[in-house]
Amino acid sequence: MEQWYLYKKKADFYKISEKFHIDPVIARLIRNRNVIGDKQIKKYLYGNLNDIAHPFEMKGIKEAAQILKNKIQEKKTIRIISDYDVDGVMSNYILWKGIHDLGGRIDFTIPNRMTDGYGINENLISRAIEDKIDTIITCDNGIAAKEAVSFGKENGLTMIVTDHHDVPFEIKEDGTRKEILPPADVVIDPKQQACTYAYPLLCGAGVAFQLIRGLYIEMGANEETLEELLCFLAIATVCDVVDLTGENRILVKEGILRIHDTKNIGLQALLSVHGMEEKEIRSYDFGFIIGPCINASGRLDTAEKVMNLFLEENREKALSVAEHLKDLNEQRKRMTEDGVLKADMQAQTYEQAGHKVFVIYLEGCHESIAGIIAGRIRERFHHPVFVLTDSEEGLKGSGRSIEEYSMFEEMTKVKDIFTKFGGHPMAAGCSLPKERLEEFRKRINENCTLSKDDFVDKVHIDVDMPVDYITIDLIDQLAVLEPFGKENKKPLFAHRKLKVERVRVFGKSKNVIKLALKSSQGTRIDGMIFEEEDRFREKMGNRKYITCTYYPVINEYQGYKSLQIHIQNYFFTEEA
């Protein structure tokens, strides 16, 4: 079920339009993204690396940079331990590259999803001790690893934690929260209470990048050489689905600008196997093409394969590995579709039974795709979803949430069930004994205070704009809003009652619908819907008028440009 809402935020759009030389529609879209005042509008439109805060403004970076400077100069062995997702791998590479180029004795470990699980643990630290490692740096993990960090300190290791996840806490008797920080030599996480960094929404790679900036400043190295790392940071930022606002948006924009100039043979190979060497890259390409290939390695093989790809100096070997990653991702897609079908059936049952939070158990499902499946079910039903499957130590899985439900906070209320858990308000991971599955399902639902209104999918429309207003110039101007992502979504427009003059269906799976449309003013334009034909025909019936939300694009074919709309949401009516 959907409810459509039209933004009605006020501003002098014509004044903004004249001042910044943009269409009034663009001015309205910027206001809808809560960008207010000349200073913020200018930063939104023209922000660059000069607008990124000094790294020493983040708590711990100055101290960590001083420690690392000494370790590098003393030729001490340093090991990076990261997460196995895109953000983790990119954080790892950023730290490795930065420290390596300063002459550090640096290596890395990425936990195996199946045997090690998420984040740093005592086994990984034991291996570091055996390898005579002096210093461990975590990235994109570690903030919840109090016991593992303690074990490292007890064994004489220098421990530096860099993370961006929410800090674990306990509720005191007076109802206040007390942070539970790991006892590292330095903890760098912009979400810890004592950190006053102005933009705490960086991904793990963003925190790692700021640490390397701080290290370069501390050692008097040329900070400009780090710009080659921005494309890796941009990929991580998009794929970790953090807010594309403020510093994140600038970092992604700057990374996109530099990606075709990358000298990294592994990244070149990933672009090549997807035919993207000459293509104009956008955030979509990071999130839906490059990122999934990197993630597939950590899901079905080992993320160290991707890390080694970025360290590869032989182009032929790099292309071979990149092709393998592409094939792994295709395999992952097939496994995901099978899992989604099974999960969908359970979700329907739980919805009918009145469950507010869906706790889905998929026997035999590969644990690495549980989060993807949870995300798909969340999108279809607009409920918080956990997908659990079997692991060596019981059940393991991932959750994906809706805006109205803080998943990490709700899991904290039943933390005695879990052997391990962590995450964000919108996404989380957990492990628990299999015999406690029903207890988890029961208690997480009993605690849930969501109402029926919270399960309604809310569609927010930027502008009620007839297609007659669309021009090539307006579409070109929409590019100033990019990169698109969380909290900076692609604009959504709406048109009431377009006449459908013709329907054509394309694609092997018959899931590309092309509509010839006509407005009441006589404007003709094609509309594209990406949906199975049977479902579309059922909605349409014999009706001829469609009301829809859309995003305008320029369609180029054989040198000819035409306007087109990509339809996102729609319903049919009998008459105009």
Side-chain angles (χ1 to χ4, degrees), residues 4 492-493 498 500 513-515 517 525-531 536 546-552 564-572:
W4 294 12
L492 196 61
F493 304 97
L498 285 158
V500 180
I513 317 293
K514 186 174 184 179
L515 309 179
L517 303 170
I525 194 167
D526 287 336
M528 306 296 293
I529 298 176
F530 301 95
E531 182 179 64
F536 170 79
I546 187 172
T547 292
C548 62
T549 67
Y550 70 88
Y551 182 79
Q564 195 177 85
I565 60 172
H566 286 182
I567 295 173
Q568 307 296 313
N569 319 87
Y570 67 93
F571 60 87
F572 287 97

PDB file of all heavy atoms in Angstrom, residues 4 492-493 498 500 513-515 517 525-531 536 546-552 564-572:
ATOM      1  N   TRP A   4       0.832   8.860  -1.382  1.00  0.00           N
ATOM      2  CA  TRP A   4       1.637   9.860  -2.069  1.00  0.00           C
ATOM      3  C   TRP A   4       1.545  11.182  -1.325  1.00  0.00           C
ATOM      4  O   TRP A   4       0.467  11.631  -0.940  1.00  0.00           O
ATOM      5  CB  TRP A   4       1.148  10.043  -3.507  1.00  0.00           C
ATOM      6  CG  TRP A   4       1.341   8.844  -4.391  1.00  0.00           C
ATOM      7  CD1 TRP A   4       1.681   7.583  -4.006  1.00  0.00           C
ATOM      8  CD2 TRP A   4       1.191   8.802  -5.805  1.00  0.00           C
ATOM      9  NE1 TRP A   4       1.753   6.752  -5.094  1.00  0.00           N
ATOM     10  CE2 TRP A   4       1.460   7.477  -6.215  1.00  0.00           C
ATOM     11  CE3 TRP A   4       0.859   9.756  -6.766  1.00  0.00           C
ATOM     12  CZ2 TRP A   4       1.404   7.078  -7.549  1.00  0.00           C
ATOM     13  CZ3 TRP A   4       0.800   9.362  -8.097  1.00  0.00           C
ATOM     14  CH2 TRP A   4       1.074   8.043  -8.490  1.00  0.00           C
ATOM     15  N   LEU A 492      11.634  13.255  -7.822  1.00  0.00           N
ATOM     16  CA  LEU A 492      10.435  12.544  -8.258  1.00  0.00           C
ATOM     17  C   LEU A 492       9.356  13.571  -8.603  1.00  0.00           C
ATOM     18  O   LEU A 492       8.990  14.418  -7.793  1.00  0.00           O
ATOM     19  CB  LEU A 492       9.940  11.627  -7.139  1.00  0.00           C
ATOM     20  CG  LEU A 492       8.936  10.538  -7.523  1.00  0.00           C
ATOM     21  CD1 LEU A 492       9.535   9.578  -8.546  1.00  0.00           C
ATOM     22  CD2 LEU A 492       8.484   9.771  -6.297  1.00  0.00           C
ATOM     23  N   PHE A 493       8.874  13.493  -9.842  1.00  0.00           N
ATOM     24  CA  PHE A 493       7.829  14.396 -10.325  1.00  0.00           C
ATOM     25  C   PHE A 493       6.539  13.606 -10.507  1.00  0.00           C
ATOM     26  O   PHE A 493       6.536  12.371 -10.461  1.00  0.00           O
ATOM     27  CB  PHE A 493       8.253  15.026 -11.659  1.00  0.00           C
ATOM     28  CG  PHE A 493       9.568  15.756 -11.593  1.00  0.00           C
ATOM     29  CD1 PHE A 493      10.748  15.142 -11.989  1.00  0.00           C
ATOM     30  CD2 PHE A 493       9.630  17.058 -11.115  1.00  0.00           C
ATOM     31  CE1 PHE A 493      11.965  15.806 -11.918  1.00  0.00           C
ATOM     32  CE2 PHE A 493      10.838  17.734 -11.042  1.00  0.00           C
ATOM     33  CZ  PHE A 493      12.012  17.104 -11.445  1.00  0.00           C
ATOM     34  N   LEU A 498      -2.355  11.010 -17.806  1.00  0.00           N
ATOM     35  CA  LEU A 498      -1.829  10.974 -19.171  1.00  0.00           C
ATOM     36  C   LEU A 498      -2.577   9.882 -19.932  1.00  0.00           C
ATOM     37  O   LEU A 498      -2.826   8.794 -19.398  1.00  0.00           O
ATOM     38  CB  LEU A 498      -0.341  10.646 -19.153  1.00  0.00           C
ATOM     39  CG  LEU A 498       0.633  11.757 -18.719  1.00  0.00           C
ATOM     40  CD1 LEU A 498       1.950  11.141 -18.253  1.00  0.00           C
ATOM     41  CD2 LEU A 498       0.872  12.720 -19.869  1.00  0.00           C
ATOM     42  N   VAL A 500      -2.883   6.863 -22.374  1.00  0.00           N
ATOM     43  CA  VAL A 500      -2.022   5.801 -22.916  1.00  0.00           C
ATOM     44  C   VAL A 500      -2.513   5.465 -24.328  1.00  0.00           C
ATOM     45  O   VAL A 500      -3.591   4.914 -24.514  1.00  0.00           O
ATOM     46  CB  VAL A 500      -2.069   4.543 -22.029  1.00  0.00           C
ATOM     47  CG1 VAL A 500      -1.156   3.455 -22.616  1.00  0.00           C
ATOM     48  CG2 VAL A 500      -1.677   4.873 -20.601  1.00  0.00           C
ATOM     49  N   ILE A 513       8.241  -2.211 -20.102  1.00  0.00           N
ATOM     50  CA  ILE A 513       6.991  -1.721 -20.688  1.00  0.00           C
ATOM     51  C   ILE A 513       7.221  -0.318 -21.235  1.00  0.00           C
ATOM     52  O   ILE A 513       7.677   0.567 -20.506  1.00  0.00           O
ATOM     53  CB  ILE A 513       5.854  -1.667 -19.650  1.00  0.00           C
ATOM     54  CG1 ILE A 513       5.841  -2.929 -18.777  1.00  0.00           C
ATOM     55  CG2 ILE A 513       4.521  -1.407 -20.322  1.00  0.00           C
ATOM     56  CD1 ILE A 513       5.493  -4.185 -19.495  1.00  0.00           C
ATOM     57  N   LYS A 514       6.905  -0.109 -22.522  1.00  0.00           N
ATOM     58  CA  LYS A 514       7.044   1.206 -23.125  1.00  0.00           C
ATOM     59  C   LYS A 514       5.668   1.735 -23.500  1.00  0.00           C
ATOM     60  O   LYS A 514       4.932   1.107 -24.271  1.00  0.00           O
ATOM     61  CB  LYS A 514       7.941   1.138 -24.368  1.00  0.00           C
ATOM     62  CG  LYS A 514       8.263   2.497 -24.976  1.00  0.00           C
ATOM     63  CD  LYS A 514       9.267   2.355 -26.110  1.00  0.00           C
ATOM     64  CE  LYS A 514       9.681   3.715 -26.667  1.00  0.00           C
ATOM     65  NZ  LYS A 514      10.679   3.586 -27.754  1.00  0.00           N
ATOM     66  N   LEU A 515       5.329   2.902 -22.946  1.00  0.00           N
ATOM     67  CA  LEU A 515       4.023   3.502 -23.187  1.00  0.00           C
ATOM     68  C   LEU A 515       4.162   4.748 -24.051  1.00  0.00           C
ATOM     69  O   LEU A 515       5.039   5.579 -23.809  1.00  0.00           O
ATOM     70  CB  LEU A 515       3.371   3.910 -21.859  1.00  0.00           C
ATOM     71  CG  LEU A 515       3.292   2.863 -20.747  1.00  0.00           C
ATOM     72  CD1 LEU A 515       2.635   3.476 -19.513  1.00  0.00           C
ATOM     73  CD2 LEU A 515       2.508   1.644 -21.206  1.00  0.00           C
ATOM     74  N   LEU A 517       2.519   8.111 -24.591  1.00  0.00           N
ATOM     75  CA  LEU A 517       1.634   8.907 -23.748  1.00  0.00           C
ATOM     76  C   LEU A 517       1.331  10.263 -24.372  1.00  0.00           C
ATOM     77  O   LEU A 517       2.138  10.810 -25.121  1.00  0.00           O
ATOM     78  CB  LEU A 517       2.297   9.118 -22.373  1.00  0.00           C
ATOM     79  CG  LEU A 517       2.688   7.842 -21.606  1.00  0.00           C
ATOM     80  CD1 LEU A 517       3.546   8.187 -20.407  1.00  0.00           C
ATOM     81  CD2 LEU A 517       1.446   7.067 -21.183  1.00  0.00           C
ATOM     82  N   ILE A 525       4.967  11.916 -25.289  1.00  0.00           N
ATOM     83  CA  ILE A 525       6.227  11.491 -24.690  1.00  0.00           C
ATOM     84  C   ILE A 525       6.137   9.997 -24.385  1.00  0.00           C
ATOM     85  O   ILE A 525       5.045   9.476 -24.118  1.00  0.00           O
ATOM     86  CB  ILE A 525       6.517  12.300 -23.399  1.00  0.00           C
ATOM     87  CG1 ILE A 525       7.976  12.121 -22.966  1.00  0.00           C
ATOM     88  CG2 ILE A 525       5.565  11.930 -22.281  1.00  0.00           C
ATOM     89  CD1 ILE A 525       8.413  13.118 -21.899  1.00  0.00           C
ATOM     90  N   ASP A 526       7.259   9.305 -24.454  1.00  0.00           N
ATOM     91  CA  ASP A 526       7.290   7.890 -24.101  1.00  0.00           C
ATOM     92  C   ASP A 526       7.531   7.731 -22.608  1.00  0.00           C
ATOM     93  O   ASP A 526       8.312   8.481 -22.007  1.00  0.00           O
ATOM     94  CB  ASP A 526       8.409   7.159 -24.853  1.00  0.00           C
ATOM     95  CG  ASP A 526       8.083   6.960 -26.330  1.00  0.00           C
ATOM     96  OD1 ASP A 526       6.878   6.956 -26.673  1.00  0.00           O
ATOM     97  OD2 ASP A 526       9.026   6.805 -27.130  1.00  0.00           O
ATOM     98  N   GLY A 527       6.879   6.748 -22.009  1.00  0.00           N
ATOM     99  CA  GLY A 527       7.088   6.420 -20.604  1.00  0.00           C
ATOM    100  C   GLY A 527       7.538   4.981 -20.461  1.00  0.00           C
ATOM    101  O   GLY A 527       7.006   4.090 -21.131  1.00  0.00           O
ATOM    102  N   MET A 528       8.537   4.739 -19.600  1.00  0.00           N
ATOM    103  CA  MET A 528       9.075   3.399 -19.396  1.00  0.00           C
ATOM    104  C   MET A 528       8.714   2.909 -17.991  1.00  0.00           C
ATOM    105  O   MET A 528       8.874   3.631 -17.008  1.00  0.00           O
ATOM    106  CB  MET A 528      10.594   3.392 -19.566  1.00  0.00           C
ATOM    107  CG  MET A 528      11.096   3.968 -20.880  1.00  0.00           C
ATOM    108  SD  MET A 528      10.568   3.024 -22.324  1.00  0.00           S
ATOM    109  CE  MET A 528      11.465   1.490 -22.066  1.00  0.00           C
ATOM    110  N   ILE A 529       8.220   1.664 -17.933  1.00  0.00           N
ATOM    111  CA  ILE A 529       7.951   1.003 -16.654  1.00  0.00           C
ATOM    112  C   ILE A 529       8.724  -0.308 -16.646  1.00  0.00           C
ATOM    113  O   ILE A 529       8.625  -1.093 -17.598  1.00  0.00           O
ATOM    114  CB  ILE A 529       6.448   0.728 -16.459  1.00  0.00           C
ATOM    115  CG1 ILE A 529       5.658   2.041 -16.433  1.00  0.00           C
ATOM    116  CG2 ILE A 529       6.205  -0.071 -15.178  1.00  0.00           C
ATOM    117  CD1 ILE A 529       4.149   1.855 -16.337  1.00  0.00           C
ATOM    118  N   PHE A 530       9.489  -0.545 -15.600  1.00  0.00           N
ATOM    119  CA  PHE A 530      10.283  -1.773 -15.511  1.00  0.00           C
ATOM    120  C   PHE A 530       9.583  -2.712 -14.534  1.00  0.00           C
ATOM    121  O   PHE A 530       9.752  -2.631 -13.318  1.00  0.00           O
ATOM    122  CB  PHE A 530      11.712  -1.433 -15.077  1.00  0.00           C
ATOM    123  CG  PHE A 530      12.379  -0.492 -16.037  1.00  0.00           C
ATOM    124  CD1 PHE A 530      12.368   0.884 -15.806  1.00  0.00           C
ATOM    125  CD2 PHE A 530      12.985  -0.961 -17.197  1.00  0.00           C
ATOM    126  CE1 PHE A 530      12.962   1.765 -16.709  1.00  0.00           C
ATOM    127  CE2 PHE A 530      13.581  -0.090 -18.097  1.00  0.00           C
ATOM    128  CZ  PHE A 530      13.566   1.272 -17.859  1.00  0.00           C
ATOM    129  N   GLU A 531       8.768  -3.599 -15.101  1.00  0.00           N
ATOM    130  CA  GLU A 531       7.893  -4.461 -14.313  1.00  0.00           C
ATOM    131  C   GLU A 531       7.426  -5.617 -15.194  1.00  0.00           C
ATOM    132  O   GLU A 531       7.368  -5.498 -16.424  1.00  0.00           O
ATOM    133  CB  GLU A 531       6.702  -3.634 -13.823  1.00  0.00           C
ATOM    134  CG  GLU A 531       5.732  -4.367 -12.949  1.00  0.00           C
ATOM    135  CD  GLU A 531       4.593  -3.446 -12.505  1.00  0.00           C
ATOM    136  OE1 GLU A 531       3.820  -2.974 -13.363  1.00  0.00           O
ATOM    137  OE2 GLU A 531       4.506  -3.193 -11.289  1.00  0.00           O
ATOM    138  N   PHE A 536       1.654  -5.670 -14.853  1.00  0.00           N
ATOM    139  CA  PHE A 536       1.249  -4.397 -15.449  1.00  0.00           C
ATOM    140  C   PHE A 536      -0.138  -4.504 -16.083  1.00  0.00           C
ATOM    141  O   PHE A 536      -1.011  -3.646 -15.870  1.00  0.00           O
ATOM    142  CB  PHE A 536       2.270  -3.958 -16.490  1.00  0.00           C
ATOM    143  CG  PHE A 536       1.822  -2.794 -17.319  1.00  0.00           C
ATOM    144  CD1 PHE A 536       1.884  -1.502 -16.830  1.00  0.00           C
ATOM    145  CD2 PHE A 536       1.294  -2.995 -18.601  1.00  0.00           C
ATOM    146  CE1 PHE A 536       1.443  -0.427 -17.591  1.00  0.00           C
ATOM    147  CE2 PHE A 536       0.855  -1.928 -19.368  1.00  0.00           C
ATOM    148  CZ  PHE A 536       0.928  -0.645 -18.853  1.00  0.00           C
ATOM    149  N   ILE A 546      -3.363   7.152 -17.129  1.00  0.00           N
ATOM    150  CA  ILE A 546      -2.427   6.809 -16.068  1.00  0.00           C
ATOM    151  C   ILE A 546      -2.002   8.065 -15.307  1.00  0.00           C
ATOM    152  O   ILE A 546      -1.734   9.115 -15.909  1.00  0.00           O
ATOM    153  CB  ILE A 546      -1.188   6.075 -16.645  1.00  0.00           C
ATOM    154  CG1 ILE A 546      -0.279   5.551 -15.520  1.00  0.00           C
ATOM    155  CG2 ILE A 546      -0.395   6.973 -17.583  1.00  0.00           C
ATOM    156  CD1 ILE A 546       0.858   4.647 -16.018  1.00  0.00           C
ATOM    157  N   THR A 547      -2.013   7.989 -13.981  1.00  0.00           N
ATOM    158  CA  THR A 547      -1.435   9.020 -13.117  1.00  0.00           C
ATOM    159  C   THR A 547      -0.158   8.425 -12.547  1.00  0.00           C
ATOM    160  O   THR A 547      -0.174   7.301 -12.028  1.00  0.00           O
ATOM    161  CB  THR A 547      -2.399   9.397 -11.985  1.00  0.00           C
ATOM    162  OG1 THR A 547      -3.534  10.056 -12.558  1.00  0.00           O
ATOM    163  CG2 THR A 547      -1.743  10.336 -10.981  1.00  0.00           C
ATOM    164  N   CYS A 548       0.928   9.172 -12.654  1.00  0.00           N
ATOM    165  CA  CYS A 548       2.210   8.543 -12.321  1.00  0.00           C
ATOM    166  C   CYS A 548       3.197   9.516 -11.693  1.00  0.00           C
ATOM    167  O   CYS A 548       3.086  10.735 -11.824  1.00  0.00           O
ATOM    168  CB  CYS A 548       2.839   7.938 -13.581  1.00  0.00           C
ATOM    169  SG  CYS A 548       3.222   9.155 -14.859  1.00  0.00           S
ATOM    170  N   THR A 549       4.175   8.941 -10.988  1.00  0.00           N
ATOM    171  CA  THR A 549       5.371   9.671 -10.597  1.00  0.00           C
ATOM    172  C   THR A 549       6.463   9.266 -11.579  1.00  0.00           C
ATOM    173  O   THR A 549       6.456   8.148 -12.108  1.00  0.00           O
ATOM    174  CB  THR A 549       5.813   9.346  -9.163  1.00  0.00           C
ATOM    175  OG1 THR A 549       6.253   7.986  -9.094  1.00  0.00           O
ATOM    176  CG2 THR A 549       4.679   9.576  -8.185  1.00  0.00           C
ATOM    177  N   TYR A 550       7.410  10.170 -11.813  1.00  0.00           N
ATOM    178  CA  TYR A 550       8.392   9.887 -12.857  1.00  0.00           C
ATOM    179  C   TYR A 550       9.672  10.684 -12.663  1.00  0.00           C
ATOM    180  O   TYR A 550       9.725  11.643 -11.881  1.00  0.00           O
ATOM    181  CB  TYR A 550       7.802  10.211 -14.240  1.00  0.00           C
ATOM    182  CG  TYR A 550       7.601  11.690 -14.491  1.00  0.00           C
ATOM    183  CD1 TYR A 550       8.617  12.488 -15.032  1.00  0.00           C
ATOM    184  CD2 TYR A 550       6.395  12.331 -14.178  1.00  0.00           C
ATOM    185  CE1 TYR A 550       8.448  13.845 -15.245  1.00  0.00           C
ATOM    186  CE2 TYR A 550       6.213  13.683 -14.384  1.00  0.00           C
ATOM    187  CZ  TYR A 550       7.239  14.433 -14.917  1.00  0.00           C
ATOM    188  OH  TYR A 550       7.086  15.787 -15.125  1.00  0.00           O
ATOM    189  N   TYR A 551      10.702  10.277 -13.421  1.00  0.00           N
ATOM    190  CA  TYR A 551      11.943  11.024 -13.528  1.00  0.00           C
ATOM    191  C   TYR A 551      12.232  11.196 -15.012  1.00  0.00           C
ATOM    192  O   TYR A 551      12.202  10.213 -15.764  1.00  0.00           O
ATOM    193  CB  TYR A 551      13.093  10.278 -12.848  1.00  0.00           C
ATOM    194  CG  TYR A 551      14.409  11.036 -12.896  1.00  0.00           C
ATOM    195  CD1 TYR A 551      14.646  12.088 -12.014  1.00  0.00           C
ATOM    196  CD2 TYR A 551      15.385  10.720 -13.829  1.00  0.00           C
ATOM    197  CE1 TYR A 551      15.833  12.798 -12.054  1.00  0.00           C
ATOM    198  CE2 TYR A 551      16.584  11.427 -13.873  1.00  0.00           C
ATOM    199  CZ  TYR A 551      16.809  12.463 -12.997  1.00  0.00           C
ATOM    200  OH  TYR A 551      17.982  13.178 -13.042  1.00  0.00           O
ATOM    201  N   PRO A 552      12.487  12.415 -15.481  1.00  0.00           N
ATOM    202  CA  PRO A 552      12.696  12.623 -16.920  1.00  0.00           C
ATOM    203  C   PRO A 552      14.126  12.300 -17.341  1.00  0.00           C
ATOM    204  O   PRO A 552      15.077  12.558 -16.605  1.00  0.00           O
ATOM    205  CB  PRO A 552      12.414  14.121 -17.089  1.00  0.00           C
ATOM    206  CG  PRO A 552      12.817  14.725 -15.780  1.00  0.00           C
ATOM    207  CD  PRO A 552      12.518  13.691 -14.729  1.00  0.00           C
ATOM    208  N   GLN A 564      11.949  11.433 -22.509  1.00  0.00           N
ATOM    209  CA  GLN A 564      11.319  10.207 -22.048  1.00  0.00           C
ATOM    210  C   GLN A 564      11.140  10.312 -20.539  1.00  0.00           C
ATOM    211  O   GLN A 564      11.870  11.046 -19.870  1.00  0.00           O
ATOM    212  CB  GLN A 564      12.229   9.026 -22.404  1.00  0.00           C
ATOM    213  CG  GLN A 564      11.600   7.648 -22.321  1.00  0.00           C
ATOM    214  CD  GLN A 564      12.585   6.578 -22.776  1.00  0.00           C
ATOM    215  OE1 GLN A 564      13.403   6.102 -21.992  1.00  0.00           O
ATOM    216  NE2 GLN A 564      12.516   6.201 -24.038  1.00  0.00           N
ATOM    217  N   ILE A 565      10.173   9.593 -19.999  1.00  0.00           N
ATOM    218  CA  ILE A 565      10.037   9.557 -18.542  1.00  0.00           C
ATOM    219  C   ILE A 565      10.146   8.113 -18.064  1.00  0.00           C
ATOM    220  O   ILE A 565       9.651   7.191 -18.712  1.00  0.00           O
ATOM    221  CB  ILE A 565       8.715  10.191 -18.044  1.00  0.00           C
ATOM    222  CG1 ILE A 565       7.494   9.464 -18.614  1.00  0.00           C
ATOM    223  CG2 ILE A 565       8.683  11.672 -18.367  1.00  0.00           C
ATOM    224  CD1 ILE A 565       6.159   9.928 -18.001  1.00  0.00           C
ATOM    225  N   HIS A 566      10.832   7.935 -16.942  1.00  0.00           N
ATOM    226  CA  HIS A 566      10.882   6.643 -16.276  1.00  0.00           C
ATOM    227  C   HIS A 566       9.866   6.671 -15.146  1.00  0.00           C
ATOM    228  O   HIS A 566      10.003   7.444 -14.193  1.00  0.00           O
ATOM    229  CB  HIS A 566      12.282   6.357 -15.749  1.00  0.00           C
ATOM    230  CG  HIS A 566      13.260   6.004 -16.818  1.00  0.00           C
ATOM    231  ND1 HIS A 566      14.571   5.670 -16.567  1.00  0.00           N
ATOM    232  CD2 HIS A 566      13.112   5.916 -18.162  1.00  0.00           C
ATOM    233  CE1 HIS A 566      15.189   5.395 -17.699  1.00  0.00           C
ATOM    234  NE2 HIS A 566      14.329   5.558 -18.690  1.00  0.00           N
ATOM    235  N   ILE A 567       8.844   5.853 -15.262  1.00  0.00           N
ATOM    236  CA  ILE A 567       7.725   5.862 -14.324  1.00  0.00           C
ATOM    237  C   ILE A 567       8.065   5.009 -13.103  1.00  0.00           C
ATOM    238  O   ILE A 567       8.485   3.857 -13.233  1.00  0.00           O
ATOM    239  CB  ILE A 567       6.449   5.358 -15.014  1.00  0.00           C
ATOM    240  CG1 ILE A 567       6.038   6.356 -16.124  1.00  0.00           C
ATOM    241  CG2 ILE A 567       5.315   5.174 -14.014  1.00  0.00           C
ATOM    242  CD1 ILE A 567       4.893   5.890 -16.996  1.00  0.00           C
ATOM    243  N   GLN A 568       7.879   5.592 -11.916  1.00  0.00           N
ATOM    244  CA  GLN A 568       8.217   4.904 -10.666  1.00  0.00           C
ATOM    245  C   GLN A 568       6.983   4.305  -9.987  1.00  0.00           C
ATOM    246  O   GLN A 568       6.991   3.156  -9.574  1.00  0.00           O
ATOM    247  CB  GLN A 568       8.885   5.893  -9.702  1.00  0.00           C
ATOM    248  CG  GLN A 568      10.075   6.629 -10.287  1.00  0.00           C
ATOM    249  CD  GLN A 568      11.225   5.705 -10.642  1.00  0.00           C
ATOM    250  OE1 GLN A 568      11.606   4.851  -9.863  1.00  0.00           O
ATOM    251  NE2 GLN A 568      11.779   5.874 -11.829  1.00  0.00           N
ATOM    252  N   ASN A 569       5.931   5.099  -9.825  1.00  0.00           N
ATOM    253  CA  ASN A 569       4.689   4.659  -9.181  1.00  0.00           C
ATOM    254  C   ASN A 569       3.548   5.081 -10.101  1.00  0.00           C
ATOM    255  O   ASN A 569       3.644   6.096 -10.785  1.00  0.00           O
ATOM    256  CB  ASN A 569       4.504   5.320  -7.807  1.00  0.00           C
ATOM    257  CG  ASN A 569       5.796   5.389  -7.002  1.00  0.00           C
ATOM    258  OD1 ASN A 569       6.558   6.339  -7.150  1.00  0.00           O
ATOM    259  ND2 ASN A 569       6.044   4.400  -6.185  1.00  0.00           N
ATOM    260  N   TYR A 570       2.465   4.318 -10.083  1.00  0.00           N
ATOM    261  CA  TYR A 570       1.372   4.674 -11.002  1.00  0.00           C
ATOM    262  C   TYR A 570       0.074   3.980 -10.606  1.00  0.00           C
ATOM    263  O   TYR A 570       0.067   2.987  -9.885  1.00  0.00           O
ATOM    264  CB  TYR A 570       1.733   4.299 -12.437  1.00  0.00           C
ATOM    265  CG  TYR A 570       1.838   2.805 -12.682  1.00  0.00           C
ATOM    266  CD1 TYR A 570       0.735   2.070 -13.133  1.00  0.00           C
ATOM    267  CD2 TYR A 570       3.029   2.122 -12.464  1.00  0.00           C
ATOM    268  CE1 TYR A 570       0.826   0.699 -13.360  1.00  0.00           C
ATOM    269  CE2 TYR A 570       3.129   0.763 -12.682  1.00  0.00           C
ATOM    270  CZ  TYR A 570       2.028   0.056 -13.126  1.00  0.00           C
ATOM    271  OH  TYR A 570       2.107  -1.304 -13.327  1.00  0.00           O
ATOM    272  N   PHE A 571      -1.031   4.548 -11.107  1.00  0.00           N
ATOM    273  CA  PHE A 571      -2.326   3.867 -11.060  1.00  0.00           C
ATOM    274  C   PHE A 571      -3.136   4.346 -12.259  1.00  0.00           C
ATOM    275  O   PHE A 571      -2.875   5.412 -12.847  1.00  0.00           O
ATOM    276  CB  PHE A 571      -3.071   4.119  -9.742  1.00  0.00           C
ATOM    277  CG  PHE A 571      -3.381   5.565  -9.451  1.00  0.00           C
ATOM    278  CD1 PHE A 571      -4.540   6.172  -9.942  1.00  0.00           C
ATOM    279  CD2 PHE A 571      -2.520   6.327  -8.664  1.00  0.00           C
ATOM    280  CE1 PHE A 571      -4.819   7.503  -9.676  1.00  0.00           C
ATOM    281  CE2 PHE A 571      -2.798   7.660  -8.389  1.00  0.00           C
ATOM    282  CZ  PHE A 571      -3.946   8.246  -8.885  1.00  0.00           C
ATOM    283  N   PHE A 572      -4.122   3.554 -12.652  1.00  0.00           N
ATOM    284  CA  PHE A 572      -4.936   3.844 -13.842  1.00  0.00           C
ATOM    285  C   PHE A 572      -6.331   4.334 -13.446  1.00  0.00           C
ATOM    286  O   PHE A 572      -6.864   3.972 -12.393  1.00  0.00           O
ATOM    287  CB  PHE A 572      -5.069   2.597 -14.717  1.00  0.00           C
ATOM    288  CG  PHE A 572      -3.818   2.251 -15.458  1.00  0.00           C
ATOM    289  CD1 PHE A 572      -2.943   1.300 -14.966  1.00  0.00           C
ATOM    290  CD2 PHE A 572      -3.507   2.878 -16.662  1.00  0.00           C
ATOM    291  CE1 PHE A 572      -1.784   0.967 -15.650  1.00  0.00           C
ATOM    292  CE2 PHE A 572      -2.351   2.567 -17.351  1.00  0.00           C
ATOM    293  CZ  PHE A 572      -1.482   1.602 -16.842  1.00  0.00           C
TER     294      PHE A 572
END
